[in-house]
Amino acid sequence: MSSSSSNRQWVYDVFLSFRGEDTCSGFVSHLQNTFSRSGINTYIDYNLEKGTELGPELLRAIEGSHISLVVFSQNYADSSWCLNELTKIMECHRTYGQVILPIFYDVDPSHVRHQKGAIEKAFEKFSDKNYSQEVLSSWKSALTQAANISGWDMRNRRSEAEVLERIVHSVLRQVNNTFLSITDFPVGLESRVQEVVGLIENQSSKVCVVGIRGMGGSGKTTTAKAIYNQIHRRFVNRSFIENISEVCQQDRRGQIDLQEQLLLDVLRTEVNIHSIRMGTTLIEESLCGKRALVVFDDVSAFQQLEALCGNRELFGEGSVIIITTRDMRLLTQFEVDYVYEMKPNNENESLELFSWHAFRDASPREDLIELSQNIVAYCGGLPLALEVLGSCLFGRTKQEWESVLSKLEIIPNDRVLQKLRISFDGLRDQMERDIFLNICCFFIGKDRAYC
């Protein structure tokens, strides 16, 4: 079944961002009670003694919330904590397609948008406290972006009860939307997503086909899902077809099942297909002239694309087709407009990603810094290896860490090896496999008999 028909595993329905001294005892409290009565799972931070840096728990709460509801008030921008919250919220909006619902409690939306009035005075105070221009610019950008999103101006309300009812109705409608589940710790993901989205937006007047290429475990699927989450609301017709290679290998009807899934996603109705040719014809008829977003994940053979998307010219203007694959030749044959090459994480990103999985924190425990660095070096920037090994070592003693590292120098982790094995098995013939193994042995300083 396609991932587009399953919800992202959100921890909370709503994250509430607000300035406590302005709204906590009144409006926010009423809002929280209304959400609770409506069965809306809300994260609300009542800890008013806040510093300036957001802690790991709060970051995870923001990332794990389907909707962020931001209550702008007169003193909201006085708090660097609130502004950092908002910056993180807007990052999640761009990366995951997280829904933002702004409420302008006792402040003019244009003042938030252009940093006027009380908000302008707050930024003058921050300038006097020697905050960097980079930080101030990021805060201003977050305020402008959030204020440009349609919300509620409480100054024009008829009654608070009426507005609360409308907000609850909107939230309940939004939480039923579908998003794709991606990694809990998206280190380095946003920059990749924005680069590909930029390529897509440059071709908004035509059918844009983007290939995302990289080795197994490099993060192709995660990147494609994050792109889908960010832009899918622009399309009425959309589908994310996942694990195409695996489905086709495990089931003789694999390609037909995938054709049926694509048509189900687009037509919102089940279609029974009896042959690949019949499916191809139905897809061409159903998608002809329509503006659509379609992601084909983990394609390993050109025949798979032919069955699902034989003629890209049939799509309507503004359509986007994204293909993730290990095979550059396949993308060349399909004549994609752009190829985004997945690059390994750099040293800092690798250590942070590993640390989130191994320690549930952005950096290693002090007594395990050196071992962490050694394991990160072993992983070579491969996200899958960093995630698997970090999770494997979570909660273990230093002695267990040393034992695992010594074993890794001889025997790779099974889950990582299994993923990389797919790339090896995908080579066309024995000659290519022999060349692959010879190169591997050369780089790790082993005799060919080792393989």
Side-chain angles (χ1 to χ4, degrees):
M1 186 167 96
S2 168
S3 290
S4 61
S5 51
S6 62
N7 290 332
R8 172 182 167 88
Q9 298 301 306
W10 302 106
V11 181
Y12 305 99
D13 293 326
V14 174
F15 177 91
L16 269 175
S17 177
F18 61 97
R19 182 74 160 125
E21 64 185 50
D22 288 349
T23 61
C24 185
S25 61
F27 177 73
V28 168
S29 179
H30 297 160
L31 186 61
Q32 165 68 355
N33 290 337
T34 306
F35 280 168
S36 180
R37 289 194 300 270
S38 303
I40 296 171
N41 182 19
T42 308
Y43 183 95
I44 183 167
D45 182 14
Y46 282 118
N47 177 20
L48 302 182
E49 296 298 320
K50 301 175 179 178
T52 56
E53 297 298 323
L54 305 184
E57 179 185 350
L58 195 64
L59 290 172
R60 286 196 294 273
I62 295 173
E63 292 171 352
S65 297
H66 192 157
I67 296 171
S68 280
L69 201 153
V70 184
V71 183
F72 290 111
S73 56
Q74 283 290 325
N75 296 308
Y76 184 93
D78 279 344
S79 167
S80 59
W81 180 276
C82 287
L83 294 171
N84 284 332
E85 264 187 5
L86 182 64
T87 302
K88 179 64 179 179
I89 286 168
M90 297 313 299
E91 177 188 317
C92 291
H93 173 64
R94 293 189 300 270
T95 302
Y96 310 132
Q98 184 185 84
V99 179
I100 310 296
L101 297 178
I103 298 174
F104 303 96
Y105 181 70
D106 59 354
V107 64
D108 189 327
S110 68
H111 286 184
V112 179
R113 188 177 299 114
H114 302 294
Q115 294 86 60
K116 300 296 184 182
I119 296 177
E120 182 178 21
K121 293 178 181 177
F123 274 89
E124 290 173 355
K125 295 176 184 176
F126 287 130
S127 296
D128 293 339
K129 294 179 180 178
N130 295 322
Y131 279 83
S132 71
Q133 285 302 313
E134 182 180 359
V135 169
L136 295 177
S137 177
S138 68
W139 288 345
K140 289 179 179 180
S141 176
L143 287 165
T144 300
Q145 291 170 29
N148 280 327
I149 298 171
S150 178
W152 292 272
D153 188 347
M154 297 295 291
R155 299 172 308 153
N156 301 326
R157 70 191 181 201
R158 295 181 184 177
S159 70
E160 184 175 287
E162 179 184 348
V163 176
L164 290 176
E165 183 179 346
R166 290 171 57 196
I167 292 171
V168 168
H169 177 75
S170 179
V171 168
L172 289 173
R173 179 171 51 84
Q174 292 283 357
V175 295
N176 289 324
N177 284 349
T178 55
F179 290 84
L180 304 182
S181 176
I182 58 176
T183 178
D184 292 330
F185 308 112
V187 177
L189 179 60
E190 185 183 6
S191 61
R192 299 186 182 99
V193 170
Q194 296 312 314
E195 185 170 347
V196 179
V197 170
L199 297 175
I200 292 170
E201 290 177 343
N202 285 336
Q203 298 288 329
S204 58
S205 62
K206 55 172 281 189
V207 177
C208 179
V209 185
V210 176
I212 301 177
R213 195 194 80 89
M215 66 185 295
S218 60
K220 301 184 298 297
T221 300
T222 299
T223 301
K225 286 181 175 180
I227 295 166
Y228 180 94
N229 284 345
Q230 179 167 331
I231 69 174
H232 80 281
R233 285 197 301 265
R234 307 175 192 173
F235 299 84
V236 174
N237 307 294
R238 57 195 186 227
S239 179
F240 192 108
I241 308 295
E242 193 170 0
N243 296 325
I244 290 175
S245 178
E246 182 179 342
V247 171
C248 291
Q249 287 177 6
Q250 292 181 352
D251 187 349
R252 289 194 308 172
R253 272 185 52 93
Q255 290 188 15
I256 294 176
D257 290 340
L258 295 173
Q259 288 176 328
E260 289 179 347
Q261 183 61 61
L262 177 58
L263 289 170
L264 174 62
D265 290 344
V266 174
L267 300 179
R268 308 291 196 275
T269 184
E270 291 188 3
V271 179
N272 292 319
I273 298 175
H274 305 296
S275 69
I276 293 175
R277 180 172 294 180
M278 174 187 175
T280 302
T281 301
L282 287 172
I283 289 170
E284 289 178 351
E285 291 175 352
S286 301
L287 290 174
C288 183
K290 289 184 177 178
R291 181 175 176 272
L293 167 64
V294 184
V295 181
F296 300 116
D297 172 60
D298 193 23
V299 180
S300 59
F302 188 72
Q303 291 79 4
Q304 296 161 2
L305 280 179
E306 284 186 312
L308 294 165
C309 181
N311 185 358
R312 58 185 276 183
E313 301 304 324
L314 289 171
F315 285 77
E317 288 186 1
S319 293
V320 176
I321 301 169
I322 299 174
I323 303 164
T324 76
T325 183
R326 300 173 178 84
D327 190 351
M328 183 63 196
R329 291 170 299 184
L330 184 150
L331 297 177
T332 301
Q333 191 174 357
F334 199 71
E335 298 181 342
V336 303
D337 298 304
Y338 300 104
V339 176
Y340 181 79
E341 289 277 357
M342 295 298 298
K343 304 175 183 65
N345 287 343
N346 61 39
E347 187 176 342
N348 290 334
E349 289 175 338
S350 296
L351 186 59
E352 182 180 352
L353 179 59
F354 174 79
S355 297
W356 279 116
H357 287 276
F359 304 102
R360 302 300 188 264
D361 204 343
S363 56
R365 214 172 67 199
E366 191 170 344
D367 61 323
L368 292 172
I369 290 177
E370 186 175 350
L371 281 173
S372 296
Q373 291 171 336
N374 290 339
I375 292 173
V376 166
Y378 164 84
C379 293
L382 188 68
L384 176 69
L386 294 162
E387 293 171 12
V388 169
L389 295 178
S391 299
C392 172
L393 291 166
F394 175 67
R396 296 200 181 194
T397 65
K398 185 174 183 179
Q399 289 72 24
E400 288 175 312
W401 275 57
E402 292 169 341
S403 174
V404 168
L405 184 56
S406 64
K407 290 177 182 177
L408 288 175
E409 293 172 351
I410 305 172
I411 306 171
N413 180 276
D414 287 343
R415 280 184 61 194
V416 178
L417 188 62
Q418 182 182 11
K419 194 77 173 180
L420 298 180
R421 176 86 193 189
I422 297 172
S423 296
F424 175 75
D425 290 340
L427 298 175
R428 289 181 299 181
D429 52 40
Q430 189 58 46
M431 179 180 292
E432 286 191 354
R433 295 188 182 102
D434 286 339
I435 293 171
F436 178 89
L437 292 175
N438 279 325
I439 293 172
C440 289
C441 290
F442 171 78
F443 277 107
I444 64 175
K446 297 288 186 180
D447 187 83
R448 177 63 177 82
Y450 175 80
C451 295

